[in-house]
Amino acid sequence: MLFKEVIGQESIKENLIQTVVNERISHAQMFQGKLGSGSFSLALAYAQFVFCSNKEENDSCGACPSCLKINTLTHPDLHFSFPVQILGNLKKSDDFISEFREMMISNPYSTEQDWYGKNENENKKGIIGVDESKELFRKLSLKSYEGGYKVAIIWLAENMNIASANKLLKLIEEPPEKTLLFLVVEDLEKILATIISRTQIIRLKSLSEVQISNQLANHHGVDEAKAIEISTYVNGDFAMALHEVSSQDNSQVFFDLFVSWMRLCFKKDVVGAVAFSANIQKLGKEKQKAFLLFVLNLFQKSLLGNFSGMENVKITPSHKEFIEKFMPYVHERNMEALHTDMSQAYYHIDRNANAKILFLDLSFILFKLIKK
Ligand SMILES: [Zn+2]
């Protein structure tokens, strides 16, 4: 993976490139953030740049023998550890490496759910067990095949159990010569404090809406209006954006929910609001958050349509008709309150508030706010 193929994260890329150019690469680094912000992609591009034998100023060459081996994730000095759903004697990453390679080559923004789904068992959590840490320890203690660095990328290192994490800690404290450990982590709270304190942490930011919509439109063949729409509610998470493209349905599901919600708010339909809130509860937290962003975005589009005419609003044609009728109800007198209430709802959902109560409350607020 070339740096230029990683979406955004420009200042992090520059820093990483400088560490190689100045030969000051920290031996233990943690790429922390959502997988959909590109943590694995960055770690992989970094490893490729370390190995590339014909580096350009700001990227790997993409064509030298090392780069070609990285493309297929088969470089002999690049090792991967990742959570596995232990199956009898199959407990180490290498037992599942061909499936892992296949997934990451087709989509380096793959998520933990994608991984378990690939093995047709989405609900069983994988672990990086002590057998895997021992194996990693063994591999990294050997001489490198090509005389340079040995790199291990530990994908979702928070899935290490205690024994395994302690073994990793040993590796970090007494690294074999020319060994680099890149931990890819979503949830820092699940990592041992002793590991955190000995690791350089690289925090990834969520991607911008423009970065996501451009990537979808330019590299994934998504229609521009659709790409823009998806980018508005995936919260800077490119993995989630890709899921939206492949399912395609969420935005229609969300739109239908939005229409029925607004209709019952017009009518001040309390019974309807109770049923709606119960329905929303079933979506689960991540979709509830995405739905709130989706609704907020439609409020903003309505306001824009209201002020400057529908021709300036980028919206899916099938949604246009409803928004044209709805937009007089969003204006400068209620927009700020709508924004505040939706944002607060998002905040509370993110902190595990009861969705049923929260959406019911929010409905009562909308009863009052949505007026001409
Ligand atoms: Zn190269």
Side-chain angles (χ1 to χ4, degrees), residues 8 67 78 97 278 288 314:
C67 282
L78 176 61
I97 188 71
Q288 286 156 3
K314 287 198 168 131

Side-chain angles (χ1 to χ4, degrees), residues 1-6 13 16-17 20 31 38-52 59-60 70 153 182:
M1 183 135 196
L2 301 176
F3 277 122
K4 68 171 179 239
E5 293 169 319
V6 180
K13 287 179 193 170
L16 294 176
I17 288 165
V20 180
F31 295 79
S39 45
F40 175 78
S41 310
L42 262 185
L44 186 61
Y46 190 27
Q48 179 160 351
F49 193 63
V50 168
F51 286 125
C52 177
D59 217 331
S60 309
I70 301 272
I153 297 182
F182 299 159

Side-chain angles (χ1 to χ4, degrees), residues 156-167:
L156 297 173
E158 61 264 54
N159 289 292
M160 293 188 137
N161 60 20
I162 278 287
S164 176
N166 278 318
K167 198 91 188 148

